[in-house]
Each structure stands twice: as C-alpha cells, then as structure tokens.
PDB file of all heavy atoms in Angstrom:
ATOM      1  N   VAL A  70       2.879 -12.386  11.109  1.00 98.00           N
ATOM      2  CA  VAL A  70       2.567 -11.308  12.052  1.00 98.00           C
ATOM      3  C   VAL A  70       2.232 -10.051  11.287  1.00 98.00           C
ATOM      4  O   VAL A  70       2.927  -9.673  10.293  1.00 98.00           O
ATOM      5  CB  VAL A  70       3.748 -11.054  13.021  1.00 98.00           C
ATOM      6  CG1 VAL A  70       3.306  -9.985  14.039  1.00 98.00           C
ATOM      7  CG2 VAL A  70       4.193 -12.294  13.703  1.00 98.00           C
ATOM      8  N   TYR A  71       1.106  -9.428  11.665  1.00 98.00           N
ATOM      9  CA  TYR A  71       0.647  -8.191  11.032  1.00 98.00           C
ATOM     10  C   TYR A  71       0.343  -7.164  12.119  1.00 98.00           C
ATOM     11  O   TYR A  71       0.097  -7.491  13.290  1.00 98.00           O
ATOM     12  CB  TYR A  71      -0.661  -8.429  10.226  1.00 98.00           C
ATOM     13  CG  TYR A  71      -0.550  -9.481   9.115  1.00 98.00           C
ATOM     14  CD1 TYR A  71      -0.684 -10.826   9.414  1.00 98.00           C
ATOM     15  CD2 TYR A  71      -0.286  -9.088   7.847  1.00 98.00           C
ATOM     16  CE1 TYR A  71      -0.601 -11.765   8.411  1.00 98.00           C
ATOM     17  CE2 TYR A  71      -0.189  -9.991   6.818  1.00 98.00           C
ATOM     18  CZ  TYR A  71      -0.381 -11.345   7.084  1.00 98.00           C
ATOM     19  OH  TYR A  71      -0.284 -12.264   6.058  1.00 98.00           O
ATOM     20  N   GLU A  72       0.328  -5.906  11.712  1.00 98.00           N
ATOM     21  CA  GLU A  72      -0.115  -4.843  12.591  1.00 98.00           C
ATOM     22  C   GLU A  72      -1.638  -4.695  12.532  1.00 98.00           C
ATOM     23  O   GLU A  72      -2.189  -4.696  11.402  1.00 98.00           O
ATOM     24  CB  GLU A  72       0.518  -3.478  12.224  1.00 98.00           C
ATOM     25  CG  GLU A  72       0.161  -2.358  13.134  1.00 98.00           C
ATOM     26  CD  GLU A  72       0.761  -1.026  12.770  1.00 98.00           C
ATOM     27  OE1 GLU A  72       1.610  -0.973  11.851  1.00 98.00           O
ATOM     28  OE2 GLU A  72       0.296  -0.001  13.294  1.00 98.00           O
ATOM     29  N   MET A  73      -2.250  -4.634  13.663  1.00 98.00           N
ATOM     30  CA  MET A  73      -3.756  -4.410  13.683  1.00 98.00           C
ATOM     31  C   MET A  73      -4.056  -3.065  13.198  1.00 98.00           C
ATOM     32  O   MET A  73      -3.391  -2.023  13.517  1.00 98.00           O
ATOM     33  CB  MET A  73      -4.244  -4.696  15.053  1.00 98.00           C
ATOM     34  CG  MET A  73      -4.206  -6.129  15.503  1.00 98.00           C
ATOM     35  SD  MET A  73      -4.309  -6.353  17.338  1.00 98.00           S
ATOM     36  CE  MET A  73      -5.773  -5.347  17.682  1.00 98.00           C
ATOM     37  N   SER A  74      -5.168  -2.926  12.419  1.00 98.00           N
ATOM     38  CA  SER A  74      -5.633  -1.604  11.980  1.00 98.00           C
ATOM     39  C   SER A  74      -6.949  -1.207  12.636  1.00 98.00           C
ATOM     40  O   SER A  74      -7.618  -0.264  12.275  1.00 98.00           O
ATOM     41  CB  SER A  74      -5.819  -1.608  10.457  1.00 98.00           C
ATOM     42  OG  SER A  74      -6.737  -2.585  10.087  1.00 98.00           O
ATOM     43  N   GLU A  75      -7.337  -2.019  13.629  1.00 98.00           N
ATOM     44  CA  GLU A  75      -8.581  -1.753  14.378  1.00 98.00           C
ATOM     45  C   GLU A  75      -8.271  -1.970  15.884  1.00 98.00           C
ATOM     46  O   GLU A  75      -7.599  -2.930  16.234  1.00 98.00           O
ATOM     47  CB  GLU A  75      -9.673  -2.719  13.943  1.00 98.00           C
ATOM     48  CG  GLU A  75     -11.007  -2.551  14.627  1.00 98.00           C
ATOM     49  CD  GLU A  75     -12.069  -3.558  14.202  1.00 98.00           C
ATOM     50  OE1 GLU A  75     -11.857  -4.176  13.164  1.00 98.00           O
ATOM     51  OE2 GLU A  75     -13.019  -3.698  14.914  1.00 98.00           O
ATOM     52  N   ARG A  76      -8.780  -1.080  16.678  1.00 98.00           N
ATOM     53  CA  ARG A  76      -8.466  -1.180  18.122  1.00 98.00           C
ATOM     54  C   ARG A  76      -9.358  -2.199  18.822  1.00 98.00           C
ATOM     55  O   ARG A  76     -10.486  -2.381  18.434  1.00 98.00           O
ATOM     56  CB  ARG A  76      -8.616   0.214  18.774  1.00 98.00           C
ATOM     57  CG  ARG A  76      -8.208   0.241  20.211  1.00 98.00           C
ATOM     58  CD  ARG A  76      -8.288   1.605  20.900  1.00 98.00           C
ATOM     59  NE  ARG A  76      -8.224   1.403  22.348  1.00 98.00           N
ATOM     60  CZ  ARG A  76      -8.389   2.423  23.185  1.00 98.00           C
ATOM     61  NH1 ARG A  76      -8.672   3.629  22.751  1.00 98.00           N
ATOM     62  NH2 ARG A  76      -8.233   2.159  24.518  1.00 98.00           N
ATOM     63  N   ILE A  77      -8.805  -2.839  19.860  1.00 98.00           N
ATOM     64  CA  ILE A  77      -9.608  -3.695  20.723  1.00 98.00           C
ATOM     65  C   ILE A  77      -9.582  -3.099  22.109  1.00 98.00           C
ATOM     66  O   ILE A  77      -8.685  -2.266  22.445  1.00 98.00           O
ATOM     67  CB  ILE A  77      -9.102  -5.125  20.730  1.00 98.00           C
ATOM     68  CG1 ILE A  77      -7.644  -5.229  21.185  1.00 98.00           C
ATOM     69  CG2 ILE A  77      -9.279  -5.760  19.357  1.00 98.00           C
ATOM     70  CD1 ILE A  77      -7.103  -6.657  21.238  1.00 98.00           C
ATOM     71  N   PHE A  78     -10.520  -3.542  23.004  1.00 98.00           N
ATOM     72  CA  PHE A  78     -10.728  -2.864  24.269  1.00 98.00           C
ATOM     73  C   PHE A  78     -10.707  -3.860  25.402  1.00 98.00           C
ATOM     74  O   PHE A  78     -11.338  -4.934  25.319  1.00 98.00           O
ATOM     75  CB  PHE A  78     -12.010  -2.083  24.265  1.00 98.00           C
ATOM     76  CG  PHE A  78     -12.098  -1.014  23.197  1.00 98.00           C
ATOM     77  CD1 PHE A  78     -12.506  -1.338  21.915  1.00 98.00           C
ATOM     78  CD2 PHE A  78     -11.682   0.299  23.454  1.00 98.00           C
ATOM     79  CE1 PHE A  78     -12.548  -0.337  20.924  1.00 98.00           C
ATOM     80  CE2 PHE A  78     -11.727   1.235  22.467  1.00 98.00           C
ATOM     81  CZ  PHE A  78     -12.161   0.945  21.194  1.00 98.00           C
ATOM     82  N   ILE A  79     -10.045  -3.526  26.469  1.00 97.00           N
ATOM     83  CA  ILE A  79      -9.917  -4.392  27.622  1.00 97.00           C
ATOM     84  C   ILE A  79     -11.243  -4.669  28.287  1.00 97.00           C
ATOM     85  O   ILE A  79     -11.449  -5.753  28.906  1.00 97.00           O
ATOM     86  CB  ILE A  79      -8.889  -3.794  28.629  1.00 97.00           C
ATOM     87  CG1 ILE A  79      -8.569  -4.828  29.800  1.00 97.00           C
ATOM     88  CG2 ILE A  79      -9.480  -2.505  29.225  1.00 97.00           C
ATOM     89  CD1 ILE A  79      -7.809  -5.990  29.320  1.00 97.00           C
ATOM     90  N   ASP A  80     -12.205  -3.760  28.210  1.00 97.00           N
ATOM     91  CA  ASP A  80     -13.484  -4.000  28.864  1.00 97.00           C
ATOM     92  C   ASP A  80     -14.591  -4.569  27.969  1.00 97.00           C
ATOM     93  O   ASP A  80     -15.759  -4.610  28.288  1.00 97.00           O
ATOM     94  CB  ASP A  80     -14.020  -2.630  29.544  1.00 97.00           C
ATOM     95  CG  ASP A  80     -14.105  -1.528  28.450  1.00 97.00           C
ATOM     96  OD1 ASP A  80     -13.708  -1.757  27.297  1.00 97.00           O
ATOM     97  OD2 ASP A  80     -14.611  -0.413  28.797  1.00 97.00           O
ATOM     98  N   SER A  81     -14.158  -5.038  26.772  1.00 98.00           N
ATOM     99  CA  SER A  81     -15.078  -5.677  25.847  1.00 98.00           C
ATOM    100  C   SER A  81     -14.867  -7.169  25.863  1.00 98.00           C
ATOM    101  O   SER A  81     -13.784  -7.732  26.290  1.00 98.00           O
ATOM    102  CB  SER A  81     -14.850  -5.184  24.443  1.00 98.00           C
ATOM    103  OG  SER A  81     -15.154  -3.813  24.304  1.00 98.00           O
ATOM    104  N   MET A  82     -15.931  -7.962  25.479  1.00 98.00           N
ATOM    105  CA  MET A  82     -15.806  -9.368  25.441  1.00 98.00           C
ATOM    106  C   MET A  82     -15.608  -9.816  23.968  1.00 98.00           C
ATOM    107  O   MET A  82     -16.244  -9.295  23.085  1.00 98.00           O
ATOM    108  CB  MET A  82     -17.080 -10.053  25.972  1.00 98.00           C
ATOM    109  CG  MET A  82     -17.266  -9.876  27.451  1.00 98.00           C
ATOM    110  SD  MET A  82     -18.540 -10.959  28.169  1.00 98.00           S
ATOM    111  CE  MET A  82     -19.999 -10.245  27.354  1.00 98.00           C
ATOM    112  N   TYR A  83     -14.642 -10.733  23.792  1.00 98.00           N
ATOM    113  CA  TYR A  83     -14.345 -11.250  22.499  1.00 98.00           C
ATOM    114  C   TYR A  83     -14.468 -12.739  22.492  1.00 98.00           C
ATOM    115  O   TYR A  83     -14.075 -13.425  23.455  1.00 98.00           O
ATOM    116  CB  TYR A  83     -12.947 -10.800  22.052  1.00 98.00           C
ATOM    117  CG  TYR A  83     -12.790  -9.328  21.913  1.00 98.00           C
ATOM    118  CD1 TYR A  83     -12.329  -8.503  22.961  1.00 98.00           C
ATOM    119  CD2 TYR A  83     -13.151  -8.644  20.745  1.00 98.00           C
ATOM    120  CE1 TYR A  83     -12.206  -7.147  22.879  1.00 98.00           C
ATOM    121  CE2 TYR A  83     -12.992  -7.299  20.597  1.00 98.00           C
ATOM    122  CZ  TYR A  83     -12.546  -6.525  21.665  1.00 98.00           C
ATOM    123  OH  TYR A  83     -12.432  -5.241  21.599  1.00 98.00           O
ATOM    124  N   TYR A  84     -14.941 -13.302  21.380  1.00 98.00           N
ATOM    125  CA  TYR A  84     -15.220 -14.709  21.283  1.00 98.00           C
ATOM    126  C   TYR A  84     -14.346 -15.346  20.163  1.00 98.00           C
ATOM    127  O   TYR A  84     -13.728 -14.630  19.360  1.00 98.00           O
ATOM    128  CB  TYR A  84     -16.686 -14.936  21.020  1.00 98.00           C
ATOM    129  CG  TYR A  84     -17.539 -14.631  22.252  1.00 98.00           C
ATOM    130  CD1 TYR A  84     -17.922 -13.303  22.504  1.00 98.00           C
ATOM    131  CD2 TYR A  84     -17.941 -15.634  23.152  1.00 98.00           C
ATOM    132  CE1 TYR A  84     -18.703 -13.050  23.619  1.00 98.00           C
ATOM    133  CE2 TYR A  84     -18.707 -15.345  24.259  1.00 98.00           C
ATOM    134  CZ  TYR A  84     -19.063 -14.063  24.492  1.00 98.00           C
ATOM    135  OH  TYR A  84     -19.775 -13.785  25.595  1.00 98.00           O
ATOM    136  N   SER A  85     -14.287 -16.626  20.146  1.00 98.00           N
ATOM    137  CA  SER A  85     -13.423 -17.332  19.253  1.00 98.00           C
ATOM    138  C   SER A  85     -13.714 -17.121  17.758  1.00 98.00           C
ATOM    139  O   SER A  85     -12.887 -17.391  16.908  1.00 98.00           O
ATOM    140  CB  SER A  85     -13.516 -18.865  19.566  1.00 98.00           C
ATOM    141  OG  SER A  85     -14.797 -19.304  19.480  1.00 98.00           O
ATOM    142  N   ASN A  86     -14.959 -16.659  17.412  1.00 97.00           N
ATOM    143  CA  ASN A  86     -15.267 -16.425  16.030  1.00 97.00           C
ATOM    144  C   ASN A  86     -15.139 -14.915  15.641  1.00 97.00           C
ATOM    145  O   ASN A  86     -15.497 -14.519  14.617  1.00 97.00           O
ATOM    146  CB  ASN A  86     -16.673 -16.904  15.719  1.00 97.00           C
ATOM    147  CG  ASN A  86     -17.722 -16.276  16.604  1.00 97.00           C
ATOM    148  OD1 ASN A  86     -17.390 -15.459  17.537  1.00 97.00           O
ATOM    149  ND2 ASN A  86     -19.007 -16.647  16.408  1.00 97.00           N
ATOM    150  N   HIS A  87     -14.582 -14.089  16.567  1.00 98.00           N
ATOM    151  CA  HIS A  87     -14.422 -12.688  16.286  1.00 98.00           C
ATOM    152  C   HIS A  87     -13.133 -12.384  15.596  1.00 98.00           C
ATOM    153  O   HIS A  87     -12.110 -13.050  15.820  1.00 98.00           O
ATOM    154  CB  HIS A  87     -14.461 -11.934  17.638  1.00 98.00           C
ATOM    155  CG  HIS A  87     -14.680 -10.464  17.494  1.00 98.00           C
ATOM    156  ND1 HIS A  87     -15.934  -9.922  17.629  1.00 98.00           N
ATOM    157  CD2 HIS A  87     -13.849  -9.414  17.180  1.00 98.00           C
ATOM    158  CE1 HIS A  87     -15.876  -8.576  17.391  1.00 98.00           C
ATOM    159  NE2 HIS A  87     -14.613  -8.320  17.150  1.00 98.00           N
ATOM    160  N   SER A  88     -13.164 -11.462  14.669  1.00 97.00           N
ATOM    161  CA  SER A  88     -11.946 -11.068  13.907  1.00 97.00           C
ATOM    162  C   SER A  88     -11.853  -9.546  13.990  1.00 97.00           C
ATOM    163  O   SER A  88     -12.825  -8.843  14.165  1.00 97.00           O
ATOM    164  CB  SER A  88     -12.075 -11.484  12.419  1.00 97.00           C
ATOM    165  OG  SER A  88     -12.151 -12.900  12.236  1.00 97.00           O
ATOM    166  N   VAL A  89     -10.620  -9.077  13.783  1.00 97.00           N
ATOM    167  CA  VAL A  89     -10.302  -7.626  13.808  1.00 97.00           C
ATOM    168  C   VAL A  89      -9.476  -7.313  12.573  1.00 97.00           C
ATOM    169  O   VAL A  89      -8.626  -8.126  12.140  1.00 97.00           O
ATOM    170  CB  VAL A  89      -9.516  -7.293  15.113  1.00 97.00           C
ATOM    171  CG1 VAL A  89      -8.938  -5.892  15.041  1.00 97.00           C
ATOM    172  CG2 VAL A  89     -10.387  -7.409  16.314  1.00 97.00           C
ATOM    173  N   ALA A  90      -9.676  -6.151  11.988  1.00 98.00           N
ATOM    174  CA  ALA A  90      -8.993  -5.745  10.767  1.00 98.00           C
ATOM    175  C   ALA A  90      -7.473  -5.587  11.102  1.00 98.00           C
ATOM    176  O   ALA A  90      -7.093  -5.163  12.163  1.00 98.00           O
ATOM    177  CB  ALA A  90      -9.553  -4.456  10.246  1.00 98.00           C
ATOM    178  N   TYR A  91      -6.670  -5.863  10.069  1.00 98.00           N
ATOM    179  CA  TYR A  91      -5.223  -5.711  10.231  1.00 98.00           C
ATOM    180  C   TYR A  91      -4.627  -5.204   8.866  1.00 98.00           C
ATOM    181  O   TYR A  91      -5.242  -5.316   7.856  1.00 98.00           O
ATOM    182  CB  TYR A  91      -4.544  -7.009  10.621  1.00 98.00           C
ATOM    183  CG  TYR A  91      -4.744  -8.172   9.734  1.00 98.00           C
ATOM    184  CD1 TYR A  91      -3.906  -8.499   8.646  1.00 98.00           C
ATOM    185  CD2 TYR A  91      -5.884  -9.043   9.933  1.00 98.00           C
ATOM    186  CE1 TYR A  91      -4.153  -9.573   7.855  1.00 98.00           C
ATOM    187  CE2 TYR A  91      -6.116 -10.097   9.081  1.00 98.00           C
ATOM    188  CZ  TYR A  91      -5.242 -10.383   8.048  1.00 98.00           C
ATOM    189  OH  TYR A  91      -5.466 -11.433   7.224  1.00 98.00           O
ATOM    190  N   GLU A  92      -3.466  -4.639   8.946  1.00 98.00           N
ATOM    191  CA  GLU A  92      -2.815  -4.057   7.769  1.00 98.00           C
ATOM    192  C   GLU A  92      -2.366  -5.177   6.808  1.00 98.00           C
ATOM    193  O   GLU A  92      -2.100  -6.295   7.243  1.00 98.00           O
ATOM    194  CB  GLU A  92      -1.551  -3.266   8.188  1.00 98.00           C
ATOM    195  CG  GLU A  92      -1.817  -2.120   9.172  1.00 98.00           C
ATOM    196  CD  GLU A  92      -2.604  -0.979   8.540  1.00 98.00           C
ATOM    197  OE1 GLU A  92      -2.745  -0.959   7.319  1.00 98.00           O
ATOM    198  OE2 GLU A  92      -3.036  -0.102   9.278  1.00 98.00           O
ATOM    199  N   SER A  93      -2.298  -4.877   5.524  1.00 97.00           N
ATOM    200  CA  SER A  93      -1.950  -5.862   4.513  1.00 97.00           C
ATOM    201  C   SER A  93      -0.473  -6.168   4.491  1.00 97.00           C
ATOM    202  O   SER A  93      -0.081  -7.248   4.087  1.00 97.00           O
ATOM    203  CB  SER A  93      -2.422  -5.409   3.154  1.00 97.00           C
ATOM    204  OG  SER A  93      -1.818  -4.189   2.814  1.00 97.00           O
ATOM    205  N   ASP A  94       0.379  -5.243   4.942  1.00 97.00           N
ATOM    206  CA  ASP A  94       1.790  -5.458   4.898  1.00 97.00           C
ATOM    207  C   ASP A  94       2.209  -6.479   5.952  1.00 97.00           C
ATOM    208  O   ASP A  94       1.918  -6.391   7.169  1.00 97.00           O
ATOM    209  CB  ASP A  94       2.532  -4.160   5.221  1.00 97.00           C
ATOM    210  CG  ASP A  94       2.369  -3.131   4.038  1.00 97.00           C
ATOM    211  OD1 ASP A  94       2.062  -3.563   2.919  1.00 97.00           O
ATOM    212  OD2 ASP A  94       2.529  -1.940   4.304  1.00 97.00           O
ATOM    213  N   LEU A  95       2.979  -7.494   5.511  1.00 98.00           N
ATOM    214  CA  LEU A  95       3.442  -8.572   6.355  1.00 98.00           C
ATOM    215  C   LEU A  95       4.631  -8.075   7.140  1.00 98.00           C
ATOM    216  O   LEU A  95       5.674  -7.663   6.541  1.00 98.00           O
ATOM    217  CB  LEU A  95       3.797  -9.805   5.549  1.00 98.00           C
ATOM    218  CG  LEU A  95       4.218 -11.034   6.262  1.00 98.00           C
ATOM    219  CD1 LEU A  95       3.131 -11.560   7.239  1.00 98.00           C
ATOM    220  CD2 LEU A  95       4.615 -12.130   5.240  1.00 98.00           C
ATOM    221  N   LEU A  96       4.545  -8.105   8.487  1.00 98.00           N
ATOM    222  CA  LEU A  96       5.719  -7.768   9.296  1.00 98.00           C
ATOM    223  C   LEU A  96       6.724  -8.852   9.422  1.00 98.00           C
ATOM    224  O   LEU A  96       7.981  -8.604   9.409  1.00 98.00           O
ATOM    225  CB  LEU A  96       5.257  -7.378  10.715  1.00 98.00           C
ATOM    226  CG  LEU A  96       4.349  -6.132  10.816  1.00 98.00           C
ATOM    227  CD1 LEU A  96       3.934  -5.948  12.300  1.00 98.00           C
ATOM    228  CD2 LEU A  96       5.084  -4.911  10.334  1.00 98.00           C
ATOM    229  N   ALA A  97       6.288 -10.072   9.490  1.00 98.00           N
ATOM    230  CA  ALA A  97       7.210 -11.232   9.663  1.00 98.00           C
ATOM    231  C   ALA A  97       6.573 -12.529   9.291  1.00 98.00           C
ATOM    232  O   ALA A  97       5.315 -12.702   9.355  1.00 98.00           O
ATOM    233  CB  ALA A  97       7.655 -11.323  11.122  1.00 98.00           C
ATOM    234  N   GLU A  98       7.391 -13.427   8.791  1.00 98.00           N
ATOM    235  CA  GLU A  98       6.953 -14.797   8.555  1.00 98.00           C
ATOM    236  C   GLU A  98       8.029 -15.737   9.021  1.00 98.00           C
ATOM    237  O   GLU A  98       9.215 -15.519   8.701  1.00 98.00           O
ATOM    238  CB  GLU A  98       6.734 -15.019   7.004  1.00 98.00           C
ATOM    239  CG  GLU A  98       6.294 -16.426   6.714  1.00 98.00           C
ATOM    240  CD  GLU A  98       5.988 -16.578   5.187  1.00 98.00           C
ATOM    241  OE1 GLU A  98       4.890 -16.125   4.764  1.00 98.00           O
ATOM    242  OE2 GLU A  98       6.852 -17.129   4.426  1.00 98.00           O
ATOM    243  N   LYS A  99       7.643 -16.708   9.785  1.00 98.00           N
ATOM    244  CA  LYS A  99       8.689 -17.626  10.424  1.00 98.00           C
ATOM    245  C   LYS A  99       8.238 -19.020  10.358  1.00 98.00           C
ATOM    246  O   LYS A  99       7.114 -19.348  10.808  1.00 98.00           O
ATOM    247  CB  LYS A  99       8.921 -17.181  11.867  1.00 98.00           C
ATOM    248  CG  LYS A  99      10.049 -18.003  12.548  1.00 98.00           C
ATOM    249  CD  LYS A  99      10.219 -17.480  14.003  1.00 98.00           C
ATOM    250  CE  LYS A  99      11.318 -18.198  14.725  1.00 98.00           C
ATOM    251  NZ  LYS A  99      12.692 -17.835  14.229  1.00 98.00           N
ATOM    252  N   THR A 100       9.016 -19.909   9.879  1.00 98.00           N
ATOM    253  CA  THR A 100       8.801 -21.330   9.899  1.00 98.00           C
ATOM    254  C   THR A 100       9.770 -21.935  10.903  1.00 98.00           C
ATOM    255  O   THR A 100      10.987 -21.692  10.855  1.00 98.00           O
ATOM    256  CB  THR A 100       9.070 -22.006   8.556  1.00 98.00           C
ATOM    257  OG1 THR A 100       8.158 -21.442   7.594  1.00 98.00           O
ATOM    258  CG2 THR A 100       8.829 -23.483   8.617  1.00 98.00           C
ATOM    259  N   PHE A 101       9.261 -22.679  11.868  1.00 98.00           N
ATOM    260  CA  PHE A 101      10.076 -23.200  12.958  1.00 98.00           C
ATOM    261  C   PHE A 101       9.439 -24.527  13.486  1.00 98.00           C
ATOM    262  O   PHE A 101       8.223 -24.782  13.271  1.00 98.00           O
ATOM    263  CB  PHE A 101      10.162 -22.179  14.081  1.00 98.00           C
ATOM    264  CG  PHE A 101       8.835 -21.869  14.781  1.00 98.00           C
ATOM    265  CD1 PHE A 101       8.565 -22.471  16.031  1.00 98.00           C
ATOM    266  CD2 PHE A 101       7.899 -21.120  14.197  1.00 98.00           C
ATOM    267  CE1 PHE A 101       7.325 -22.192  16.678  1.00 98.00           C
ATOM    268  CE2 PHE A 101       6.661 -20.878  14.789  1.00 98.00           C
ATOM    269  CZ  PHE A 101       6.404 -21.433  16.030  1.00 98.00           C
ATOM    270  N   THR A 102      10.192 -25.216  14.256  1.00 98.00           N
ATOM    271  CA  THR A 102       9.691 -26.364  14.994  1.00 98.00           C
ATOM    272  C   THR A 102       9.709 -25.975  16.472  1.00 98.00           C
ATOM    273  O   THR A 102      10.771 -25.704  17.049  1.00 98.00           O
ATOM    274  CB  THR A 102      10.573 -27.616  14.791  1.00 98.00           C
ATOM    275  OG1 THR A 102      10.640 -27.959  13.398  1.00 98.00           O
ATOM    276  CG2 THR A 102      10.063 -28.774  15.569  1.00 98.00           C
ATOM    277  N   PRO A 103       8.584 -25.974  17.102  1.00 98.00           N
ATOM    278  CA  PRO A 103       8.501 -25.522  18.516  1.00 98.00           C
ATOM    279  C   PRO A 103       9.492 -26.348  19.412  1.00 98.00           C
ATOM    280  O   PRO A 103       9.504 -27.537  19.303  1.00 98.00           O
ATOM    281  CB  PRO A 103       7.054 -25.807  18.878  1.00 98.00           C
ATOM    282  CG  PRO A 103       6.326 -25.753  17.618  1.00 98.00           C
ATOM    283  CD  PRO A 103       7.255 -26.332  16.599  1.00 98.00           C
ATOM    284  N   ASP A 104      10.241 -25.627  20.156  1.00 97.00           N
ATOM    285  CA  ASP A 104      11.226 -26.276  21.086  1.00 97.00           C
ATOM    286  C   ASP A 104      10.982 -25.749  22.480  1.00 97.00           C
ATOM    287  O   ASP A 104      11.403 -24.646  22.839  1.00 97.00           O
ATOM    288  CB  ASP A 104      12.633 -25.950  20.608  1.00 97.00           C
ATOM    289  CG  ASP A 104      13.719 -26.694  21.427  1.00 97.00           C
ATOM    290  OD1 ASP A 104      13.355 -27.315  22.426  1.00 97.00           O
ATOM    291  OD2 ASP A 104      14.866 -26.638  21.051  1.00 97.00           O
ATOM    292  N   LEU A 105      10.361 -26.544  23.268  1.00 97.00           N
ATOM    293  CA  LEU A 105       9.975 -26.174  24.645  1.00 97.00           C
ATOM    294  C   LEU A 105      10.961 -26.603  25.689  1.00 97.00           C
ATOM    295  O   LEU A 105      10.729 -26.446  26.883  1.00 97.00           O
ATOM    296  CB  LEU A 105       8.573 -26.709  25.010  1.00 97.00           C
ATOM    297  CG  LEU A 105       7.353 -25.977  24.405  1.00 97.00           C
ATOM    298  CD1 LEU A 105       7.289 -26.121  22.917  1.00 97.00           C
ATOM    299  CD2 LEU A 105       6.055 -26.497  25.032  1.00 97.00           C
ATOM    300  N   SER A 106      12.120 -27.162  25.287  1.00 97.00           N
ATOM    301  CA  SER A 106      13.051 -27.688  26.235  1.00 97.00           C
ATOM    302  C   SER A 106      14.457 -27.054  26.164  1.00 97.00           C
ATOM    303  O   SER A 106      15.202 -27.232  27.100  1.00 97.00           O
ATOM    304  CB  SER A 106      13.184 -29.201  26.033  1.00 97.00           C
ATOM    305  OG  SER A 106      13.663 -29.496  24.735  1.00 97.00           O
ATOM    306  N   THR A 107      14.769 -26.355  25.122  1.00 97.00           N
ATOM    307  CA  THR A 107      16.105 -25.819  24.974  1.00 97.00           C
ATOM    308  C   THR A 107      16.182 -24.332  25.364  1.00 97.00           C
ATOM    309  O   THR A 107      15.346 -23.509  24.790  1.00 97.00           O
ATOM    310  CB  THR A 107      16.613 -25.969  23.508  1.00 97.00           C
ATOM    311  OG1 THR A 107      16.543 -27.356  23.125  1.00 97.00           O
ATOM    312  CG2 THR A 107      18.033 -25.461  23.373  1.00 97.00           C
TER     313      THR A 107
END
C-alpha cells in the first residue's frame, strides 16, 4: 500500500491500463491467505 501523489476525479473516466503517480515510501506490506469464511 502506498499514498497516491496524484489526484483522481469522480467525473473522469479511467481504464484498466491507466496509472497514477504514488509516493515511494511504502505504507504497508502484508502476506496473507485470503479467508472469506472466518
């Protein structure tokens, strides 16, 4: 997880190949096995 350094807008269209700038400092890293039942 990173903090975004570029704003996005609710009235704009974004596509699957679009990217937005983000800060280099890592906020979090988590390794887990998804558990959808517990």
